[in-house]
Amino acid sequence: MTTLEHLLQIKRDRGAGYLLLVDPDKIDKAKFPAFIREATTAGADAFLVGGSLMLSNEFDETLKTIKENTKAPVIIFPGSVSQVSPEADAILFLLLISGRNPDHLIGNQVIAAPIIKRMGLEAISTGYMLIDGGNVTSAEFMSNTKPIPREKLDIAVAHALAAELIGLKMLYLEAGSGAKQSVPDEMIKKVTQYCSLPVIVGGGICTPEEARNKIKAGASFVVTGTVIEQNSNSMVIKEFAQAIHQS
Ligand code: 1GP
């Protein structure tokens, strides 16, 4: 089974999936293996690995450690072309479709494609849409693109439809890591009403209730990063997992 099929099966079996984002720059190495085991037991369905920058040199090591401590899929969520590794199960092959920066629409993909192919790494083509989260996030700054305004539901829908017609496999609605406000539920509703791609939502999701609301609005997967970095207690992970699975 491919990783994409595995993700879709999680959605079928559990109603929705909880994706835990790990930034290799922000882990406590000593506690990390136990953290991954506990997060898996607590209900994390898959691990996303990546970050806007990579100040440490721990990318491959981080992936290896996660793989050694969980059976859940380990998926690269690349912040740049340097974040490619054969240690992962798959990579979200992102096209930043909300922006008009050619490097993030095709340039970086052309650089990364031969490397990914050579590695035999599964690429999950994903339309990545930055939505205004009330503050300038690393994703916005580093990609040098403008996010979609929060109230412009029609613009979001048209981008999502374009992703579907282009043939991408998933859609990622992103408010940016540490966003003040997460992607509006109304926008998720509208996008999933018009577009049949499975939708991942992340950025600024701080409580299990907020996560549940994203799923109720139509998201298939919710991502949290910051909230668990700040409180890596497995009880908190369990609360998020339950909220997401029981929506
Ligand atoms: C970033 O969507 C993720 O791409 C997670 O964001 O760190 O705000 O949870 P947070």
Side-chain angles (χ1 to χ4, degrees):
M1 193 192 302
T2 65
T3 301
L4 177 59
E5 285 164 358
H6 193 159
L7 289 175
L8 298 177
Q9 188 178 40
I10 289 165
K11 177 177 160 50
R12 275 196 302 276
D13 293 351
R14 302 184 188 167
Y18 180 27
L19 312 182
L20 204 60
L21 175 63
V22 173
D23 182 340
D25 272 351
K26 295 181 183 155
I27 59 175
D28 177 339
K29 263 185 133 178
K31 296 183 186 155
F32 191 57
F35 167 75
I36 295 299
R37 289 194 295 273
E38 283 163 21
T40 306
T41 310
D45 294 303
F47 293 88
L48 295 188
V49 185
S52 279
L53 290 168
M54 205 53 67
L55 301 181
S56 68
N57 199 15
E58 308 285 350
F59 194 61
D60 282 32
E61 252 337 283
T62 304
L63 290 166
K64 260 190 216 163
T65 308
I66 303 176
K67 288 286 303 170
E68 281 163 12
N69 287 282
T70 187
K71 287 201 162 59
V74 181
I75 303 166
I76 299 173
F77 174 47
S80 72
V81 275
S82 64
Q83 292 169 33
V84 176
S85 166
E87 304 295 340
D89 294 310
I91 182 167
L92 293 185
F93 198 66
L94 302 175
L95 272 73
L96 208 180
I97 58 170
S98 57
R100 298 297 179 268
N101 181 339
D103 284 343
H104 294 298
L105 283 166
I106 186 65
N108 291 332
Q109 291 78 358
V110 168
I111 294 168
I115 305 169
I116 292 173
K117 195 78 185 171
R118 206 179 319 123
M119 285 176 177
L121 187 60
E122 179 185 340
I124 303 173
S125 63
T126 302
Y128 190 56
M129 290 169 53
L130 260 187
I131 314 300
D132 184 14
N135 53 335
V136 178
T137 59
S138 300
E140 177 182 346
F141 184 82
M142 295 302 292
S143 66
N144 200 13
T145 65
K146 248 192 220 167
I148 295 176
R150 301 177 65 74
E151 67 287 358
K152 300 288 187 193
L153 306 188
D154 52 346
I155 293 182
V157 167
H159 280 77
L161 286 175
E164 185 175 334
L165 297 188
I166 288 168
L168 303 180
K169 300 287 192 303
M170 294 185 110
L171 205 59
Y172 193 135
L173 301 182
E174 168 74 279
S177 188
K180 272 193 192 148
Q181 295 167 283
S182 55
V183 176
D185 297 349
E186 276 310 307
M187 188 178 276
I188 300 167
K189 252 184 224 161
K190 210 62 181 191
V191 162
T192 50
Q193 189 184 325
Y194 283 91
C195 169
S196 61
L197 294 178
V199 170
I200 306 171
V201 177
I205 296 172
C206 296
T207 64
E209 196 192 352
E210 201 175 354
R212 179 186 290 136
N213 289 338
K214 304 303 162 202
I215 303 296
K216 279 192 175 151
S220 298
F221 302 94
V222 160
V223 182
T224 66
T226 307
V227 71
I228 304 301
E229 276 160 21
Q230 290 169 349
N231 187 357
S232 58
N233 180 327
S234 59
M235 268 316 290
V236 181
I237 298 175
K238 196 168 184 175
E239 284 170 20
F240 270 97
Q242 282 176 349
I244 288 164
H245 297 144
Q246 287 167 7
S247 304

